[in-house]
């Protein structure tokens, strides 16, 4: 217990301090306190004004940068994907604005969006693994060959690819693709717009969601990365597009980039929320169509800001 004498000493100290304050206030230091307060207030006001001015400048520079990219360098993507068929696959909880911005950039490059697939969180629920495995076995088509060492989710990615995409151009929707799509949507693992596949895409863009809170371990994305690998194997190429958060700890792009096998075939862009990043998605799709992959952006992107084919070479 705290000694009673402690309370007495504390109370005496408080009254002594109050008394000293009164004496000083009435003595030679009278007015000094108010002057100090006024001076500090003026400094605080100036710091606030400076901070506001700096924020306005930063916003203006950000707007200039984005407008410059959108209006001056955007022409660099014109015709990059002319007549290419592209499918967009959104991960659970992916941002709609990000998806729409990436889609606009792809369409402006001359590509055609054949379908938009929204994956449901149920697909990656560990409690649904048996359902996913069962569906894969039921829906496999005669022209599909699963690698002997493939995982359940690699096969599921291959299955979706058979429904909406193809490795070669000019493939249309058929009875098998309809069977695959009907099975996956019927199990409520995903939804499609439009619901019927007319043209199968050769290229696929996967829109990554921001990392949840608390951030999971990279291993939590093992099934998602396997699924994306399967999509790539069954199509002409995949680019995963997301924000810097998705490339930081706890994000899908971070997990993808930590998988050496995945990065050999799948590309990623971690600044797809910026006009420059959306252009990089287009460049990455063009690179994928040529059989190459790369990791681009601002967060631990080992291949730099964009594919080498569009970067200025050093003299």
């Amino acid at each position: 217990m705290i000694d009673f004498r402690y309370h007495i000493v504390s109370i005496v100290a408080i009254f002594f301090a109050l008394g000293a304050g009164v004496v000083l206030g009435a003595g030679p230091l009278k007015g000094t306190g108010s002057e100090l307060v006024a001076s500090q207030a003026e400094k605080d006001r100036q710091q606030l004004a400076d901070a506001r001015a700096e924020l306005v400048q930063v916003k203006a520079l950000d707007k200039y940068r984005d407008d410059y990219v959108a209006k001056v360098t955007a022409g660099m993507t014109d015709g990059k994907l002319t007549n290419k068929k592209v499918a967009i696959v959104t991960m659970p909880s992916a941002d709609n604005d990000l998806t729409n911005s990436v889609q606009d950039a792809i369409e402006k490059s001359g590509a055609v969006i054949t379908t938009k697939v929204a994956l449901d969180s149920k697909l990656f629920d560990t409690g649904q693994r048996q359902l996913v495995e069962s569906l894969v076995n039921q829906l496999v088509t005669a022209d599909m060959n699963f690698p002997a060492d493939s995982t359940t989710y690699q096969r599921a990615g291959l299955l979706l690819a058979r429904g909406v995409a193809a490795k070669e151009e000019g493939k249309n929707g058929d009875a098998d693709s309809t069977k695959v799509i009907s099975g996956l949507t019927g199990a409520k693992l995903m939804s499609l717009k439009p619901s019927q596949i007319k043209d199968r895409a050769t290229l696929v863009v996967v829109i990554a969601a921001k990392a949840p809170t608390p951030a999971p371990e990279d291993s939590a994305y093992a099934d998602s990365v396997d699924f994306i690998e399967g999509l790539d194997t069954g199509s002409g190429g995949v680019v995963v597009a997301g924000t810097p958060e998705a490339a930081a700890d706890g994000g899908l792009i971070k997990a993808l980039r930590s998988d050496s096998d995945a990065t050999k075939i799948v590309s990623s862009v971690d600044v797809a929320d910026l006009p420059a990043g959306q252009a990089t998605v287009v460049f990455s799709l063009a690179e994928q169509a040529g059989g190459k992959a790369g990791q681009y952006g601002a967060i631990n992107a080992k291949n730099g800001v964009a594919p080498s084919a569009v970067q200025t070479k050093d003299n």
Side-chain angles (χ1 to χ4, degrees):
M1 293 180 57
I2 299 175
D3 196 293
F4 177 71
R5 286 175 296 178
Y6 174 82
H7 290 288
I8 296 297
V9 172
S10 299
I11 292 171
V12 171
I14 291 171
F15 279 107
F16 178 80
L18 289 173
V22 170
V23 171
L24 290 171
L29 296 180
K30 181 179 180 181
T32 301
S34 60
E35 290 173 0
L36 288 172
V37 170
S39 175
Q40 185 60 49
E42 180 59 31
K43 289 180 180 178
D44 291 342
R45 280 194 293 270
Q46 186 59 50
Q47 288 178 348
L48 181 59
D50 291 344
R52 285 175 175 168
E54 184 177 357
L55 180 60
V56 169
Q57 184 179 26
V58 168
K59 287 184 176 180
L61 290 174
D62 283 346
K63 185 177 185 302
Y64 172 81
R65 176 199 62 198
D66 291 344
D67 284 351
Y68 187 91
V69 171
K71 297 175 181 178
V72 178
T73 66
M76 293 175 62
T77 64
D78 290 352
K80 282 289 183 181
L81 298 175
T82 298
N83 297 326
K84 293 291 185 184
K85 304 294 193 300
V86 180
I88 295 179
V89 177
T90 58
M91 297 298 290
S93 301
D95 184 75
N96 286 331
D97 289 339
L98 176 63
T99 302
N100 292 336
S101 295
V102 171
Q103 178 176 346
D104 288 345
I106 293 171
E107 290 178 328
K108 287 177 181 177
S109 72
V112 176
I113 303 298
T114 58
T115 187
K116 295 175 73 173
V117 182
L119 304 182
D120 193 275
S121 59
K122 181 180 176 182
L123 174 63
F124 301 107
D125 186 335
T126 54
Q128 302 297 323
R129 183 179 293 273
Q130 188 173 354
L131 169 63
V132 174
E133 179 68 36
S134 176
L135 275 174
V136 169
N137 293 332
Q138 291 175 27
L139 299 175
V140 62
T141 62
D143 59 353
M144 290 181 65
N145 293 310
F146 293 143
D149 59 347
S150 60
T151 67
T152 294
Y153 281 88
Q154 285 172 338
R155 294 193 292 272
L158 271 164
L159 192 68
L160 176 59
R162 179 59 183 85
V164 303
K167 295 184 76 67
E168 305 85 15
E169 296 184 2
K171 297 289 186 179
N172 299 324
D174 54 22
D176 283 337
S177 63
T178 299
K179 169 189 171 183
V180 167
I181 295 306
S182 296
L184 294 174
T185 55
K188 301 188 184 305
L189 298 180
M190 61 191 67
S191 60
L192 276 79
K193 290 182 180 180
S195 58
Q196 298 295 320
I197 299 298
K198 179 183 177 182
D199 298 312
R200 288 154 63 191
T202 51
L203 299 170
V204 180
V205 173
V206 175
I207 306 295
K210 291 183 178 180
T213 302
E217 298 291 331
D218 287 350
S219 59
Y221 291 105
D223 291 340
S224 299
V225 173
D226 282 352
F227 186 86
I228 292 169
E229 284 188 85
L231 268 177
D232 188 283
T233 302
S235 68
V238 171
V239 175
V240 180
T243 63
E245 291 87 348
D249 289 341
L252 172 60
I253 292 179
K254 167 70 183 315
L256 173 75
R257 291 175 175 175
S258 299
D259 187 317
S260 59
D261 290 331
T263 55
K264 291 176 183 176
I265 59 173
V266 178
S267 297
S268 65
V269 178
D270 63 40
V271 285
D273 52 335
L274 300 176
Q278 291 147 25
T280 302
V281 171
V282 171
F283 297 139
S284 298
L285 285 169
E287 184 180 55
Q288 279 282 334
K292 296 181 179 179
Q295 316 309 314
Y296 307 110
I299 309 297
N300 297 319
K302 68 177 183 180
N303 299 115
V305 298
S308 58
V310 297
Q311 291 190 44
T312 302
K313 301 295 188 298
D314 294 334
N315 293 327

